[in-house]
Amino acid sequence: MADESYNVPNLADGEVFRVEQTIKRSRFITSVGRTDSVESAKAFIEKIKTEFADARHNCWAYCAGAAGSSDRVGASDDGEPHGTAGRPMLTIVTHSGIGELTVVVTRYFGGILLGTGGLVKAYQSSVRMALETLPIRKKVPVEAITLSIEHRFINQFLRLLEDFEGRVLSKEFAMDAEFSLEVPRDRADDFCKKIEEVTAGSLLLEREKRAES
């Protein structure tokens, strides 16, 4: 099975990662956020445009899906000459190996014209600079598993879950111990077989595929 994992910005909801450079007196401020939908990408863009409302240009590009995908992407020159900002920025974004990513480059004009070629280089270098130091992490497809086992198996279950790099989302102790957990999708089959062996089949287990948030 193909590897479905990919890198995403290691940023909390609403968190902004930012770098800045000056080219021929123009300030280029690059703001990056993690956005896992077109709606969240647009909301991030509006947030940055509001913050820098006095800037001449707030150009942007986003890939709201998996790294390298083209189904949820967008870009804008925001008043710069056509093709000098948004599209060049999007090229960097879609080839970065990072998904769920929105980049806004704010420009404060410094009085010296850069020309179309200079603008393309400036906007692309601004995005590259940000992505070179952007904190990232791997997004791994997981399976959600609901498990009910006898109390005497809890310690063995927890050791097994750690071995398979899973995590407990919630737990409840009644007649049996009930757990909601996530396990990496490519290891879920083996985990389920192992826990069935440990409990000699005396368990209730439900599975659901999902992507790690």
Side-chain angles (χ1 to χ4, degrees), residues 165-179:
E165 301 178 314
R167 61 173 182 152
V168 173
L169 301 178
S170 65
K171 55 191 174 183
E172 183 177 340
F173 300 108
M175 290 291 291
D176 288 324
E178 297 183 2
F179 295 90

Side-chain angles (χ1 to χ4, degrees), residues 6-197:
Y6 55 89
N7 290 324
V8 295
N10 190 17
L11 302 173
D13 288 344
E15 184 177 358
V16 180
F17 177 79
R18 185 167 285 158
V19 299
E20 180 177 339
Q21 67 173 334
T22 300
I23 301 174
K24 293 184 178 180
R25 298 182 185 173
S26 283
R27 289 176 66 201
F28 291 86
I29 304 167
T30 306
S31 304
V32 183
R34 182 184 175 189
T35 53
D36 60 1
S37 67
V38 172
E39 292 74 21
S40 59
K42 291 180 177 179
F44 180 81
I45 293 163
E46 288 305 313
K47 173 182 175 179
I48 302 303
K49 290 175 72 173
T50 299
E51 181 180 356
F52 296 109
D54 60 333
R56 180 173 290 193
H57 308 285
N58 285 287
C59 306
W60 49 265
Y62 67 80
C63 173
S69 65
S70 59
D71 58 332
R72 287 186 286 169
V73 299
S76 171
D77 295 316
D78 193 37
E80 292 283 28
H82 179 68
T84 60
R87 182 59 60 176
M89 290 168 59
L90 183 60
T91 298
I92 302 299
V93 167
T94 55
H95 289 84
S96 67
I98 305 171
E100 303 180 12
L101 172 71
T102 296
V103 180
V104 181
V105 178
T106 302
R107 182 191 181 198
Y108 285 94
F109 183 54
I112 300 176
L113 296 174
L114 301 182
T116 55
L119 286 172
V120 171
K121 290 179 181 178
Y123 280 103
Q124 287 195 324
S125 68
S126 293
V127 176
R128 284 196 190 96
M129 178 187 295
L131 299 189
E132 283 172 359
T133 51
L134 175 71
I136 59 174
R137 67 176 179 85
K138 185 80 74 175
K139 178 172 180 174
V140 180
V142 298
E143 278 206 21
I145 297 174
T146 302
L147 185 69
S148 179
I149 58 175
E150 296 177 24
H151 289 267
R152 61 194 175 104
F153 295 123
I154 289 176
N155 289 336
Q156 291 168 280
F157 155 70
L158 291 175
R159 285 195 296 269
L160 190 64
L161 187 64
E162 183 177 359
D163 289 343
F164 280 83
E165 301 178 314
R167 61 173 182 152
V168 173
L169 301 178
S170 65
K171 55 191 174 183
E172 183 177 340
F173 300 108
M175 290 291 291
D176 288 324
E178 297 183 2
F179 295 90
S180 293
L181 51 127
E182 287 182 342
V183 177
R185 189 181 299 170
D186 61 354
R187 307 195 69 186
D189 287 344
D190 288 341
F191 170 79
C192 291
K193 289 176 183 176
K194 287 290 185 181
I195 193 64
E196 286 179 0
E197 291 174 5

